[in-house]
Amino acid sequence: MLVSVPLTQKSIADYELFVDPESIRDVRELAGDLAGSSILHVNATAFGGGVSELLYTLVPLMQDVGLIADWKVIQGSEEFFSVTKIMHNCLQGMDMPITDQMKKIYEHHNLANAKMMAGQYDYVVVHDPQPAALPYFLENHRAIGKKWIWRCHLDLTKFSQELWAYLLPFIQVFDAVVFTSPSYLDEHAAKLPPCTFITPTIDPLSPKNTALDEQTIHRTLRKYHIDPDRPLITQVSRYDPWKDPLGVIDAYRLVKKEVPEAQLLLAASMASDDPESWHYYEKTARHAGEDDDIFLLSNLQGVGNMEINAFQRGSSVVVQKSLQEGFGLTVTEGMWKEKPVIGGNVGGIVLQIDDNVNGFLVDSVESCAARIVELLKNPGIGARLGVAAREKVRNKFLCTSNLEAYLNLMRGLSVTEQREEENTG
Ligand code: UDP
């Protein structure tokens, strides 16, 4: 049997601190129509990366508004996760062949996990490509879930046609698909089940985002030998080519010529579904060399949610210099903390940062370095961008919006279901 992820309780009422009470009432009303419905989320890891970050809040909030909500994680070998990481890379634009052996491994593990599924749900939401073939391999997928939703969190603007063609029959089994941005689909949408677009969101009450006092921030920085009195540039991201940690180091080196006291922090969690991260960590460490002002930290040194929160808050500039990015919750997190965020001009980052209004978008190492220098030399610019950034997140990217979007999707699907019954009856 697939194992449920243990969760803490959350209450939607607590979010009245951040969003207006009317919108909370709307969410409750919407949920009222779905009261007692059951929903299962399935993904590849309970730790590391944006999907688990989202589910730790979304699932308890679903429970709080009256749904029977659960989250389970599939099981897989390192071999399987190496294959799915290659698939992830190909969907984000890398050109690599998907061999018959890889397909065999992918299908074998999806079949094995399908056999471990039990229970009866009204809705099953499958996140990302790793478990995307589950309903295809279930003997009777309708017995497990009445409606199946595939939620793809990746930036698909440059996806490999070959891999997409391979995955399509698996995805066509779903009743609905969810992407972050309509720009990821263009002509391919025609072959897919009905598409909905939902942006990820952050939880302002989670240990990662809740307010921290100055003392805690300084103490945390010092614990990791970072000087709180010198400028700090931070990128929080898995070690992954798409996050471009090497490019961030190159940008920092250019910054150093003009602001010699600058420090760089790359903080990364090692996700269990990302075996490539070790290899990329070593590559990044080699690139960083012997520079004592570059800090490479991870969960293995005790960096958890509170520490990430303190690092982001203690930074002069938050960077997310991705080359492809499904959404980039680290951008949202920095913006919420009123930091000037410099993001790669790609994917979901452009849904968040309006250039020069609430952050900066950059296309190269040089432009990233120039913006960092500008911000370090003119703190007033960062303060202006930061205030606008928090407001954008408050309006669009807090977890109550994510819950509302899912409830709307579910309601739409159950309406369809009722209509189908009426038509056949
Ligand atoms: N994260 C973390 N510790 C780290 C690195 C990342 O907690 O050392 C979190 C980060 O704060 C964010 C999520 O992992 O909440 C990454 O989500 P994002 O959408 O930025 O990228 P993904 O990893 O999903 O591609």
Side-chain angles (χ1 to χ4, degrees):
M1 290 253 281
L2 297 185
V3 181
S4 291
V5 177
L7 296 164
T8 52
Q9 265 189 343
K10 291 191 187 279
S11 164
I12 192 165
D14 296 340
Y15 294 86
E16 283 193 15
L17 280 171
F18 309 100
V19 297
D20 75 72
E22 233 169 79
S23 67
I24 304 259
R25 260 201 307 278
D26 291 348
V27 174
R28 281 194 190 285
E29 212 175 288
L30 197 54
D33 299 343
L34 292 158
S37 300
S38 53
I39 179 164
L40 170 68
H41 291 267
V42 183
N43 84 321
T45 176
F47 175 75
V51 179
S52 51
E53 185 75 21
L54 279 168
L55 293 177
Y56 275 112
T57 294
L58 178 64
V59 179
L61 283 183
M62 285 183 156
Q63 291 169 344
D64 183 58
V65 297
L67 308 187
I68 301 158
D70 196 3
W71 167 19
K72 291 183 197 269
V73 171
I74 56 163
Q75 294 174 19
S77 60
E78 191 170 335
E79 184 184 52
F80 170 67
F81 288 125
S82 299
V83 168
T84 56
K85 186 64 204 281
I86 291 171
M87 288 182 161
H88 171 111
N89 287 340
C90 289
L91 286 172
Q92 295 218 127
M94 208 174 262
D95 190 18
M96 281 179 81
I98 302 294
T99 63
D100 287 346
Q101 178 62 11
M102 289 177 187
K103 291 178 186 170
K104 212 165 128 188
I105 293 166
Y106 179 72
E107 290 167 27
H108 169 79
H109 281 83
N110 267 272
L111 175 64
N113 277 285
K115 285 186 178 156
M116 286 190 277
M117 289 194 84
Q120 288 181 313
Y121 300 89
D122 295 311
Y123 305 89
V124 182
V125 186
V126 175
H127 295 262
D128 278 343
Q130 299 94 328
L134 283 180
Y136 182 93
F137 284 114
L138 277 165
E139 238 167 70
N140 178 6
H141 70 286
R142 298 281 176 211
I144 299 277
K146 287 186 195 152
K147 295 288 174 186
W148 286 75
I149 299 159
W150 186 53
R151 180 16 171 153
C152 179
H153 296 266
L154 304 181
D155 177 347
L156 296 174
T157 36
K158 295 185 191 147
F159 63 73
S160 134
Q161 302 284 340
E162 184 200 338
L163 177 58
W164 190 247
Y166 168 65
L167 289 176
L168 199 57
F170 302 134
I171 295 163
Q172 283 169 332
V173 177
F174 287 87
D175 299 290
V177 292
V178 180
F179 298 96
T180 299
S181 166
S183 65
Y184 296 169
L185 281 180
D186 55 56
E187 78 270 24
H188 301 280
K191 294 189 185 140
L192 287 168
C195 301
T196 302
F197 303 98
I198 300 179
T199 58
T201 54
I202 59 158
D203 181 348
L205 291 173
S206 73
K208 178 161 297 160
N209 296 310
T210 192
L212 291 180
D213 59 65
E214 210 60 22
Q215 214 188 353
T216 308
I217 296 169
H218 283 200
R219 203 179 45 233
T220 310
L221 292 181
R222 279 203 199 94
K223 180 175 163 198
Y224 291 95
H225 310 293
I226 300 167
D227 184 348
D229 299 320
R230 286 167 53 198
L232 178 63
I233 306 155
T234 297
Q235 174 160 299
V236 175
S237 271
R238 290 178 294 107
Y239 288 110
D240 170 313
W242 308 108
K243 309 288 186 184
D244 199 21
L246 306 187
V248 177
I249 293 174
D250 293 340
Y252 152 84
R253 291 214 165 106
L254 293 176
V255 171
K256 258 314 221 193
K257 291 182 186 162
E258 299 206 36
V259 188
E261 65 279 22
Q263 307 168 94
L264 173 66
L265 165 60
L266 297 176
S269 52
M270 301 299 188
S272 58
D273 66 340
D274 188 0
E276 192 192 35
S277 57
W278 280 109
H279 164 71
Y280 219 72
Y281 168 78
E282 284 165 15
K283 220 175 144 97
T284 308
R286 277 197 301 274
H287 202 65
E290 292 297 322
D291 188 333
D292 287 340
D293 286 337
I294 301 182
F295 300 87
L296 301 188
L297 298 176
S298 79
N299 52 307
L300 303 177
Q301 286 123 302
V303 173
N305 289 327
M306 190 286 285
E307 287 77 13
I308 295 289
N309 189 347
F311 294 153
Q312 288 167 331
R313 288 184 191 277
S315 299
S316 323
V317 181
V318 168
V319 175
Q320 188 55 59
K321 203 199 149 304
S322 303
L323 305 172
Q324 294 264 248
E325 188 62 76
F327 185 66
L329 280 175
T330 53
V331 171
T332 337
E333 290 159 5
M335 290 173 77
W336 179 245
K337 294 169 183 120
E338 292 197 12
K339 292 291 152 183
V341 182
I342 300 177
N345 189 11
V346 293
I349 296 179
V350 302
L351 299 174
Q352 303 187 64
I353 297 181
D354 305 296
D355 191 36
N356 209 358
V357 174
N358 51 30
F360 286 129
L361 292 169
V362 293
D363 290 291
S364 66
V365 166
E366 291 72 23
S367 58
C368 182
R371 287 304 196 187
I372 296 173
V373 170
E374 185 181 345
L375 288 166
L376 295 184
K377 290 193 170 170
N378 306 282
I381 299 178
R384 165 179 64 83
L385 298 176
V387 169
R390 183 172 167 104
E391 197 48 20
K392 172 126 187 204
V393 175
R394 199 181 71 77
N395 287 325
K396 298 188 81 155
F397 305 125
L398 293 186
C399 51
T400 47
S401 307
N402 197 34
L403 174 63
E404 187 175 4
Y406 270 97
L407 294 175
N408 271 319
L409 172 64
M410 290 163 72
R411 203 169 64 164
L413 285 171
S414 66
V415 167
T416 316
E417 187 180 40
Q418 277 163 18
R419 283 209 199 106
E420 277 165 10
E421 276 167 14
E422 281 162 20
N423 290 345
T424 50

